[in-house]
Amino acid sequence: MPSPSTPSEPVEYTSERRDFFRIEDRIGLEIRRLSPNTSPEEDAFDGDHLESLKAEFRRLDQDVRSQLASLAERDRLLTGLIKSLNGKLDTLARIMTFEQNPLQPEDWQEVTLSEGGLAFSSSTPAWAIGDRLAIRMTLPPELFQPRAIAQVIDVQPDSTGGARVHTEFERIQDSDRQQIARHVMRWQIRQRQKE
């Protein structure tokens, strides 16, 4: 069930964004403004040299998952062990990636996050409606790093001279959207356990 909209949200885009669950969370957030002539395939975070390795990693992960499905029919204990080892390798890969590119304290922000977009606070009024942004998020505690191309759909000035910036993802890979969905679901489970 989607969270209720806050009174400060403009009516014109609230209804379409209610298709997704939204959470208030503290995440690592890296943002780069894209110029109008930037190709969607360009990597704003300078990771091009790793793309072939990431593609190979995804291919191997798919191979393991498909083979696990057939193995599960014959040996549940072995399937469970291989799933645990695969999860352990995934976690190790995320830790190594994060250690190579640690976020600074100012990169951690309170945001409103959903599969459809995110809202964040900016200390300066640097963003305008229509701006296209490359966004890389770091979602704790799993340290997933989904990426998206987003468009600024609203900017609400605040009393400190900054603004609350609302974005909508216009280009995001399915795997990144699924990581966000899992993060939102786990966040909701943790909140229920605290109650």
Side-chain angles (χ1 to χ4, degrees), residues 116-133:
L118 71 98
F120 61 93
S121 293
S122 174
S123 58
T124 62
W127 312 106
I129 294 173
D131 283 349
R132 290 180 63 241
L133 312 175

Side-chain angles (χ1 to χ4, degrees), residues 4-185:
S5 61
T6 57
S8 62
E9 286 187 337
V11 177
E12 57 268 16
Y13 67 87
T14 300
S15 61
E16 67 192 50
R17 289 181 46 229
R18 291 183 60 111
D19 293 339
F20 302 106
F21 290 102
R22 289 178 286 169
I23 61 171
E24 301 288 329
D25 199 7
R26 184 170 179 80
I27 68 169
L29 185 61
E30 299 168 85
I31 301 170
R32 308 281 189 272
R33 185 186 321 263
L34 296 175
S35 65
N37 56 358
T38 302
S39 161
E41 287 75 34
E42 288 182 44
D43 186 0
F45 297 100
D46 301 326
D48 289 337
H49 63 286
L50 296 176
E51 282 310 308
S52 62
L53 288 175
K54 289 177 182 178
E56 178 69 8
F57 183 81
R58 286 191 293 271
R59 188 191 63 74
L60 290 170
D61 191 49
Q62 278 303 114
D63 286 350
V64 168
R65 289 175 194 271
S66 65
Q67 292 172 15
L68 278 176
S70 62
L71 180 62
E73 298 169 4
R74 291 179 282 176
D75 192 338
R76 292 189 128 164
L77 186 60
L78 182 58
T79 300
L81 175 63
I82 293 174
K83 280 184 179 179
S84 294
L85 289 173
N86 195 38
K88 187 175 179 180
L89 284 173
D90 285 346
T91 302
L92 181 60
R94 286 193 300 272
I95 289 170
M96 289 172 63
T97 299
F98 188 71
E99 285 179 343
Q100 289 175 355
N101 184 24
L103 294 176
Q104 301 304 310
E106 63 271 11
D107 292 328
W108 293 91
Q109 290 192 39
E110 299 290 333
V111 301
T112 303
L113 176 65
S114 78
E115 293 174 61
L118 71 98
F120 61 93
S121 293
S122 174
S123 58
T124 62
W127 312 106
I129 294 173
D131 283 349
R132 290 180 63 241
L133 312 175
I135 297 174
R136 179 167 58 190
M137 298 158 270
T138 300
L139 308 177
E142 300 91 358
L143 301 180
F144 291 135
Q145 287 194 311
R147 297 176 182 208
I149 303 296
Q151 183 171 22
V152 175
I153 57 174
D154 189 41
V155 179
Q156 298 175 348
D158 63 24
S159 59
T160 65
R164 185 78 174 164
V165 181
H166 298 265
T167 69
E168 181 176 64
F169 298 144
E170 63 179 38
R171 189 165 186 275
I172 183 169
Q173 290 186 1
D174 283 341
S175 59
D176 287 337
R177 193 181 300 275
Q178 289 169 10
Q179 286 179 351
I180 293 170
R182 284 193 296 270
H183 178 76
V184 168
M185 184 180 69

